[in-house]
Amino acid sequence: MPTLILVRHGRSTANTAGLLAGWTPGVALDERGTQQAAALPGRLAGLPIAEVVTSPLQRCQETVQPLLEARPEVPAHTEERIGEAHYGDWSGRKLAELKDEPLMEVVQAHPSAAAFPGGESMRAMQTRAAEAVREWNARVERDHGSDAVYLMCSHGDIIKSLVADALGLHLDLFQRISVEPCSITAIRYTRLRPFLVRLGDTGDFASLAPREEPPSGDAPVGGGAGAP
């Protein structure tokens, strides 16, 4: 079965503004995110990518654009099911305000029970994304062979949920996973089990350095803005 390269979109204007973007239209890459996207073709230069599949949201489309320009022969597709979580009434709100919502404690500690007001549950988010991956695995294997490599550009919570699915982790543990903007995660699927072979690789270790403010222990909903 194929190897899936999961790329989180580059840093966005919502990331730097501390907003939970969700499906809010018009959320683009910021200057750093544009630089991250421009570097992506070089980072992936050694991989024979058979297909590119991306979330319909602007920040993901912008992230893969330099790669598609560098490889015009690679087919590109849009897949709604790997779009961001539908945060409903939380969409577009400041994360600093949302941290005091009672639901945020559930999102952090018991996400399998969390459903966003006017949006979807985190279980539904994971289910649709995992179903999309399994269908694309079968399609890519059929069209390109069992050793093919393909790429999906998606969002922080989607990628974390797919990693949890691949590792057989309960969704309640997925907040322990971190994927920064424009990081690369790779999952090699086989007939019996998936193998996580890369997780959140940015090639930059700056985010591991001590910070002025110690981390709160909460996971950044939506994936966060990455290293300062």
Side-chain angles (χ1 to χ4, degrees), residues 125 173 181 183 226:
M125 174 200 75
L173 300 179
S183 62

Side-chain angles (χ1 to χ4, degrees), residues 74-128:
V74 176
H77 315 271
T78 297
E79 172 59 75
E80 293 271 341
R81 291 174 295 176
I82 62 168
E84 181 61 286
H86 290 278
Y87 296 118
D89 297 344
W90 280 24
S91 299
R93 292 182 59 187
K94 285 191 172 293
L95 288 163
E97 298 172 355
L98 291 169
K99 69 180 179 62
D100 296 324
E101 294 277 355
L103 178 61
M104 183 60 85
E105 186 178 9
V106 182
V107 170
Q108 292 292 327
H110 189 20
S112 66
F116 297 101
E120 69 180 334
S121 70
M122 301 200 89
R123 294 190 315 277
M125 174 200 75
Q126 183 186 44
T127 298
R128 63 173 164 85

Side-chain angles (χ1 to χ4, degrees), residues 56-73:
L57 295 173
Q58 180 178 340
R59 53 198 182 273
C60 286
Q61 300 280 337
E62 290 179 351
T63 297
V64 299
Q65 190 58 39
L67 178 65
L68 295 176
E69 290 174 357
R71 303 196 191 193
E73 75 284 358

Side-chain angles (χ1 to χ4, degrees), residues 10 15 18 24-25 55 61 76 99 107 109 143 153 165 196:
N15 293 145
T24 304
S55 156
Q61 300 280 337
K99 69 180 179 62
V107 170
D143 294 344
C153 184
D165 175 75
L196 178 66

